[in-house]
Amino acid sequence: MGLEATMIIIDNSEHARNGDYTPTRFETQSDAVSLIFSAKTQANPESSVGLMTMGGKGPEVLVTLTTDFGKILSGLHSTKIKGELHLTTGIQVAGLALKHRQNRAQKQRIICFVGSPILEDEKTLVKLAKKMKKNNIAIDFVNFGEIESENTSKLQAFVDAINASDNSHLATIPPGPHLLSDLLITTPILSGDGTGAGNATGTGGDVAGDIGGFEFGVDPSLDPELALALRMSMEEEKARVEKEQKAKEEREAKERGEGSSALGAVKEEDESTPLLKEDEKGESSKKDDDKMDTN
């Protein structure tokens, strides 16, 4: 991820009330929006992010391109769930918002959450994709909620039509107890280098393996505090193990030393040592004299 201007489009249609994603389709998007904002701004402080909805009576720009996360949160909290999905209109409005970006050096990108049935046909979507490609706009789709419907095939056709040097992606997230952001972090939408899976269709257990490209399974650019805490914990554990190993070696060396001292304390007698001590020798002579007098 380089210098980018990113418009995030969330799905606030009536289908967003469903609870097949934790806790609901709408709230799981809010969590993912926070993750995307952090990833974009930490990758490049000059990158900016905007927010808009595409439900209700029509698309609505909640926050224009900004680096202030507080504005994004305020926009999320003010969003109401209502109406149907207006995908093509929402993408066109997002394209206009990107056109008015202040920094022309920023690459244009739209990240669109789709959790409701797409009303437009595939032909209309492909036509729009070619128009966006002509304007040098990359589009990522987070497909969830209606993955068993025609949504997946329609969005894949859109991505195939707009793709230029693999700059646009489709991430299909299945329902389950996991958070949407937990699977989203493994996709090219956030990894930026194509190392993640194009379709995050695995379970929560499979995701842990996908994150293995990072030390401790955490991308430092997304959560530097957690990565630092894990690294410090590992270093403390390593130091504790080394300390225990050193103490064990010292204890064993001390035990070996005490054994050698005990053996050294036993003085070996050589050939020059008399077999009998002086006192014993004198007593022996006296006994011999007594025997002679008796005879």
Side-chain angles (χ1 to χ4, degrees), residues 203-263:
T203 60
D206 296 327
V207 175
D210 293 336
I211 307 178
F214 301 111
E215 187 181 16
F216 315 115
V218 176
D219 184 356
S221 66
L222 299 179
D223 199 338
E225 294 182 357
L226 177 58
L228 178 60
L230 289 172
R231 185 176 294 107
M232 291 177 64
S233 178
M234 186 199 71
E235 291 175 353
E236 290 175 357
E237 177 66 15
K238 184 178 179 181
R240 184 188 67 80
V241 172
E242 290 178 352
K243 183 178 180 180
E244 290 182 354
Q245 183 66 24
K246 185 177 180 180
K248 182 180 178 181
E249 292 176 355
E250 291 177 351
R251 188 166 56 251
E252 291 176 350
K254 185 177 180 181
E255 290 175 354
R256 287 196 298 268
E258 289 177 352
S260 301
S261 299
L263 292 174

Side-chain angles (χ1 to χ4, degrees), residues 8 33-34 37 49-51 62-64 66-77:
I8 302 176
V33 168
S34 300
F37 181 90
V49 180
L51 181 68
L62 302 174
V63 183
T64 56
T66 181
T67 56
D68 186 352
F69 184 55
K71 293 181 179 180
I72 300 293
L73 285 178
S74 178
L76 287 171
H77 291 316

Side-chain angles (χ1 to χ4, degrees), residues 53-128:
T53 60
M54 56 180 175
K57 295 181 179 180
E60 179 184 359
V61 177
L62 302 174
V63 183
T64 56
L65 294 171
T66 181
T67 56
D68 186 352
F69 184 55
K71 293 181 179 180
I72 300 293
L73 285 178
S74 178
L76 287 171
H77 291 316
S78 65
T79 302
K80 304 297 182 182
I81 298 176
K82 55 185 177 179
E84 296 181 342
L85 186 70
H86 303 276
L87 180 60
T88 53
T89 310
I91 292 175
Q92 290 174 349
V93 172
L96 290 174
L98 290 173
K99 185 177 180 180
H100 292 89
R101 67 195 186 282
Q102 294 182 352
N103 188 349
R104 293 295 173 179
Q106 293 174 327
K107 294 182 179 180
Q108 304 173 90
R109 180 175 296 278
I110 297 172
I111 298 180
C112 184
F113 290 85
V114 181
S116 306
I118 299 174
L119 303 179
E120 295 86 350
D121 58 26
E122 186 174 312
K123 184 178 179 180
T124 302
L125 293 174
V126 170
K127 183 178 180 180
L128 177 61

Side-chain angles (χ1 to χ4, degrees), residues 130-186:
K130 292 179 179 179
K131 180 181 178 181
M132 293 292 106
K133 183 177 181 179
K134 186 177 180 181
N135 292 329
N136 297 318
I137 298 176
I139 300 182
D140 297 322
F141 287 104
V142 181
N143 179 31
F144 70 107
E146 303 295 329
I147 60 177
E148 301 297 333
S149 64
E150 295 180 351
N151 281 19
T152 302
S153 59
K154 289 180 179 180
L155 294 176
Q156 187 61 59
F158 190 106
V159 170
D160 292 340
I162 197 176
N163 232 332
S165 302
D166 196 32
N167 67 340
S168 300
H169 309 92
L170 169 62
T172 300
I173 312 294
H178 48 260
L179 292 174
L180 189 67
S181 55
D182 289 343
L183 293 184
L184 187 61
I185 197 174
T186 68

